[in-house]
Amino acid sequence: MAKTLAEKVWEAHVVRRAAGEPDLLYIDLHLVHEVTSPQAFDGLRATGRAVRRPELTLATEDHNVPTIDILKPIADPISKAQVDALRANCAEFGVPIYSLGNVEQGIVHVVGPQLGLTQPGMTVVCGDSHTSTHGAFGALAFGIGTSEVEHVLATQTLPLKPFKTMAINVDGELPVGVTAKDVTLAVIAKIGTGGGQGYVLEYKGSAIRALSMEGRMTVCNMSIEAGARAGMIAPDETTFEYLKGRDRAPAGAMWDEAVAYWATLPSDADAKYDAEVFIDASTLSPFVTWGTNPGQGLPLTANVPSPADAVDETDRVAIENALEYMGLTAGMPLRDIKVDTVFVGSCTNGRIEDLRAVAEVLKGRKVASGMRMLVVPGSVRVKHQAEAEGLDVIVKDSGAEWREAGCSMCLAMNPDKLAPGERSASTSNRNFEGRQGPGGRTHLVSPAVAAATAIKGHLAAPADL
Amino acid sequence: MEKFITHTGTAAPLRRSNVDTDQIIPAEYLKRITRHGFEDGLFGAWRKDSDFVLNQPAYQGVSILIAGPDFGTGSSREHAVWALQDFGFKVVLSSRFADIFRGNSGKGGLLTGLVDQADIELLWAAVEANPALEVTVDLDKREVRAGDLTATFEVDDYVRWRLMEGLDDIGITMKHGDVIAEFEVKRPAFMPTTA
């Protein structure tokens, strides 16, 4: 029977199948960070269980860590305790860890792919909803809760009910200046924050094929914002090219064997999806969010919507609440929204191509007076590469800050935060109330829009400069 | 885990859609390394508003949350489940739940019942008219009963069985250690390791 990519990967990982029970699925790679793991390790200790496969497990420190003065002890004692707990747990259970100061440290979803650990056809989990990022390689990758982290640590498996499949077809050519981030924001606005619930999304079509691996990671990363636990893209030459020669990618005869297997993974031509969505790439333009969930987004050329535009009562209340929280007036042009902070980074847009896109816009220009702009590489490797290319100099010359690797201002767990009432344009993934700091207001944007906004002082695209 | 067969208590109406896990438990509280004591952070930002439903005298001591659609979106933080449980909630009812949140709830013993939005509206009206109304959530019959109102809810068969038996997932899987070992022998050699 014809199968989709997701079904093929699923079937290849079924350890045990029994009527009336979830499938028991094998997990090839388990990524761990400091926030969602301490209670899982406690659970192992309480039950006297070991980590079944420490060599399929990797920990890194990212959510809590500061992005300046990283070699000093972490100032916040509670953050420090959590990072210390991760280090102690990894030592006790034999789990490899990349700590602050290690050249391989960084955001967990940047680290896995850059090491070549994330490969087509694998199952990848992490106690973090943006694990969907790894689906860009044709892996089945999804976020899990702490109970599941403990389950994977103890058994290297997870009991799971099969997902439904949804094809997101993006065909045609993206107009100049339209990026992977704009694609994903447009997809979420179209299907809604709940549209992907219960599904694995498979992004297909010529516009997706034309994306680089980094662009594909941006798209898959935000699948969860459409409610889908996982997003996938079939592996192809772009994928193989990216992987070849990476530290943990297979080499020699193993490489050939792997590629031969990976080439069997794309969905069969006559495979059926439970749902399909079609988007014409040529109609897309730079996209920004105006509200308090990632589905509340519009093209930058649009105006802030009105509660009167709502499709139903629930939507009307949601728009009203969002306008109030965001301090916006219905009908005002999105371009007139002034921001005081710009954040570039995160597992969505903290990779080298993102930093290049930002530097290209910033080059020879200055950020607006009073603007705070943070540029935070997703990993130490990304930072080093950017510095080798001179991007850090461009960033600093423009008046922006060049930081160390970490999750930074994406989630208000470390010193990089918005103050109440501050408003950001952010390349991260969530514009929830208080996400970047209590009372802070977030507009999600692409790296290029972030940079243009920093220069203009209001939401803007590079074409506006 | 405690067995869940039926639960009777009072309920709070949360008339909001897209309640994300950052609202349920803000990131600041996630720095703790314990599994309990998250009740003070539940709906942290909204609790500062005296009008918020859980601050109203009439809704003290509630154990059932009747929420709008798309409850639990966003981050995978299981702390959201712990915070609801630590506060005293045994059940959340909504017409749509985010997948990860729902999965986490089932692991920890918090029942998430999927109820038609029309029934959610009726339940909201009923507990707003009478906050002291006793609401019974019957997992065996998959029913919510409140006064003369009866609504059905959906819950995954396996999760229902596990909750009713009070069984721990890991213990169940550990029984299949031999099958896991057999699978491991057949994994392709080209797959990566982290060591």
Side-chain angles (χ1 to χ4, degrees):
Chain A
M1 205 184 87
K3 289 200 176 89
T4 64
L5 165 64
E7 288 160 349
K8 290 181 190 185
V9 179
W10 183 284
E11 287 301 324
H13 288 84
V14 175
V15 170
R16 181 178 177 276
R17 178 169 282 165
E21 293 181 41
D23 283 352
L24 192 63
L25 231 59
Y26 200 79
I27 302 302
D28 294 317
L29 178 64
H30 183 193
L31 300 167
V32 173
H33 63 84
E34 72 274 18
V35 180
T36 55
S37 66
Q39 297 87 353
F41 283 111
D42 276 350
L44 293 183
R45 262 189 294 272
T47 47
R49 290 167 178 154
V51 174
R52 184 180 177 94
R53 298 295 298 270
E55 82 283 15
L56 301 183
T57 314
L58 178 67
T60 180
E61 300 164 2
D62 56 8
H63 283 64
N64 264 291
V65 302
T67 56
I68 45 173
D69 297 333
I70 59 166
L71 294 179
K72 292 182 189 165
I74 297 174
D76 175 352
I78 311 173
S79 286
K80 182 176 182 303
Q82 198 167 55
V83 171
D84 287 346
L86 179 69
R87 292 175 187 178
N89 285 328
C90 286
E92 181 181 342
F93 289 92
V95 172
I97 178 170
Y98 295 134
S99 288
L100 217 52
N102 187 304
V103 70
E104 300 298 352
Q105 178 264 337
I107 304 175
V108 65
H109 309 307
V110 177
V111 168
Q114 82 184 4
L115 280 167
L117 272 174
T118 305
Q119 297 172 16
M122 289 174 64
T123 46
V124 181
V125 299
C126 174
D128 188 285
S129 61
H130 292 110
T131 309
S132 56
T133 311
H134 307 262
F137 292 79
L140 180 61
F142 49 90
I144 57 179
T146 298
S147 293
E148 291 173 309
V149 170
E150 184 179 340
H151 199 121
V152 178
L153 288 172
T155 70
Q156 204 59 34
T157 64
L158 270 182
L160 288 164
K161 269 186 62 170
F163 303 112
K164 292 179 286 182
T165 57
M166 183 187 293
I168 310 275
N169 300 281
V170 191
D171 276 300
E173 208 171 316
L174 289 175
V176 174
V178 181
T179 68
K181 184 64 165 286
D182 303 308
V183 172
T184 190
L185 288 173
V187 168
I188 300 160
K190 186 178 173 85
I191 73 173
T193 56
Q197 278 167 20
Y199 290 95
V200 173
L201 308 184
E202 183 182 338
Y203 302 94
K204 315 175 63 172
S206 55
I208 299 296
R209 295 257 75 83
L211 290 175
S212 67
M213 282 316 295
E214 299 203 351
R216 293 179 187 187
M217 284 189 249
T218 299
V219 170
C220 287
N221 172 275
M222 290 190 63
S223 302
I224 183 65
E225 314 314 335
R229 241 173 134 168
M232 301 176 85
I233 294 173
D236 59 10
E237 285 304 321
T238 303
T239 321
F240 307 154
E241 193 54 39
Y242 178 95
L243 278 168
K244 194 161 195 179
R246 292 197 181 255
D247 286 2
R248 303 296 168 129
M254 289 284 201
W255 170 261
D256 297 334
E257 195 187 322
V259 170
Y261 173 61
W262 298 341
T264 68
L265 293 171
S267 296
D268 298 326
D270 50 346
K272 294 274 184 293
Y273 297 86
D274 297 302
E276 287 214 56
V277 170
F278 297 88
I279 291 173
D280 178 354
S282 69
T283 64
L284 298 179
S285 62
F287 229 78
V288 301
T289 63
W290 53 268
T292 53
N293 72 58
Q296 290 176 323
L298 283 169
L300 178 59
T301 50
N303 297 335
V304 173
S306 155
D309 305 334
V311 293
D312 58 29
E313 174 63 11
T314 302
D315 188 36
R316 192 189 62 74
V317 174
I319 296 175
E320 238 174 44
N321 286 340
L323 293 186
E324 189 190 341
Y325 182 84
M326 294 296 288
L328 296 175
T329 312
M332 74 183 285
L334 289 168
R335 267 203 176 82
D336 289 353
I337 297 174
K338 290 190 167 58
V339 313
D340 43 60
T341 306
V342 169
F343 168 60
V344 173
S346 85
C347 58
T348 311
N349 283 126
R351 285 171 287 266
I352 189 69
E353 288 177 15
D354 301 314
L355 303 186
R356 285 179 192 144
V358 166
E360 191 184 316
V361 177
L362 292 181
K363 193 166 189 175
R365 297 188 170 107
K366 295 282 180 200
V367 305
S369 156
M371 174 71 62
R372 171 170 65 138
M373 181 180 190
L374 300 187
V375 181
V376 186
S379 71
V380 178
R381 291 271 186 212
V382 169
K383 178 167 186 273
H384 288 174
Q385 189 175 346
E387 288 170 352
E389 295 178 17
L391 306 185
D392 58 320
V393 177
I394 295 171
V395 166
K396 286 185 269 191
D397 283 353
S398 75
E401 294 178 50
W402 179 248
R403 295 293 189 91
E404 304 286 344
C407 293
S408 187
M409 203 186 269
C410 178
L411 88 167
M413 281 197 77
N414 54 67
D416 305 339
K417 285 180 201 174
L418 291 182
E422 282 187 334
R423 184 185 298 277
S424 78
S426 176
T427 68
S428 54
N429 39 56
R430 290 190 173 134
N431 51 341
F432 299 153
E433 292 182 16
R435 172 76 178 184
Q436 295 188 293
R441 295 156 168 170
T442 303
H443 298 276
L444 300 178
V445 299
S446 72
V449 168
T453 298
I455 292 159
K456 298 291 273 187
H458 58 81
L459 292 180
D464 299 329
L465 298 172
Chain B
M1 202 161 76
E2 224 174 290
K3 288 184 184 183
F4 190 118
I5 310 288
T6 67
H7 171 75
T8 299
T10 53
L14 183 62
R15 283 186 179 265
R16 287 187 82 115
S17 60
N18 272 291
V19 175
D20 58 76
T21 54
D22 273 80
Q23 305 317 316
I24 300 174
I25 183 87
E28 194 59 31
Y29 294 92
L30 270 52
K31 295 180 179 180
R32 298 178 185 170
I33 57 176
T34 55
R35 205 164 187 136
H36 293 288
F38 290 94
E39 62 277 7
D40 53 338
L42 181 72
F43 299 121
W46 297 341
R47 289 260 292 284
K48 290 175 187 146
D49 172 3
S50 59
D51 289 339
F52 181 60
V53 62
L54 295 184
N55 288 335
Q56 295 172 22
Y59 293 105
Q60 298 311 298
V62 289
S63 57
I64 299 165
L65 186 66
I66 308 169
D70 297 312
F71 188 82
T73 56
S75 154
S76 65
R77 57 189 70 167
E78 199 161 323
H79 312 67
V81 174
W82 304 334
L84 286 160
Q85 290 180 312
D86 290 346
F87 188 84
F89 285 109
K90 306 284 186 202
V91 180
V92 184
L93 303 174
S94 169
S95 63
R96 281 206 306 263
F97 289 99
D99 292 342
I100 301 181
F101 173 81
R102 197 152 196 228
N104 289 343
S105 300
K107 306 287 176 193
L110 176 72
L111 175 62
T112 52
L114 203 62
V115 178
D116 279 348
Q117 186 61 28
D119 287 329
I120 291 282
E121 304 275 351
L122 293 174
L123 287 166
W124 276 341
V127 300
E128 280 168 356
N130 176 16
L133 183 67
E134 275 202 348
V135 178
T136 295
V137 178
D138 184 332
L139 182 55
D140 190 26
K141 293 188 176 147
R142 302 176 206 234
E143 266 179 15
V144 185
R145 297 185 291 273
D148 49 9
L149 192 70
T150 299
T152 57
F153 66 86
E154 282 177 44
V155 59
D156 177 76
D157 288 340
Y158 183 76
V159 171
R160 172 173 169 271
W161 169 76
R162 228 174 24 72
L163 291 177
M164 290 181 70
E165 296 292 328
L167 286 175
D168 151 42
D169 245 357
I170 301 178
I172 299 172
T173 300
M174 294 293 272
K175 289 185 197 150
H176 305 304
D178 51 341
V179 192
I180 299 172
E182 277 169 37
F183 183 92
E184 285 177 322
V185 175
K186 293 182 287 186
R187 292 179 73 237
F190 59 74
M191 286 213 169
T193 64
T194 59

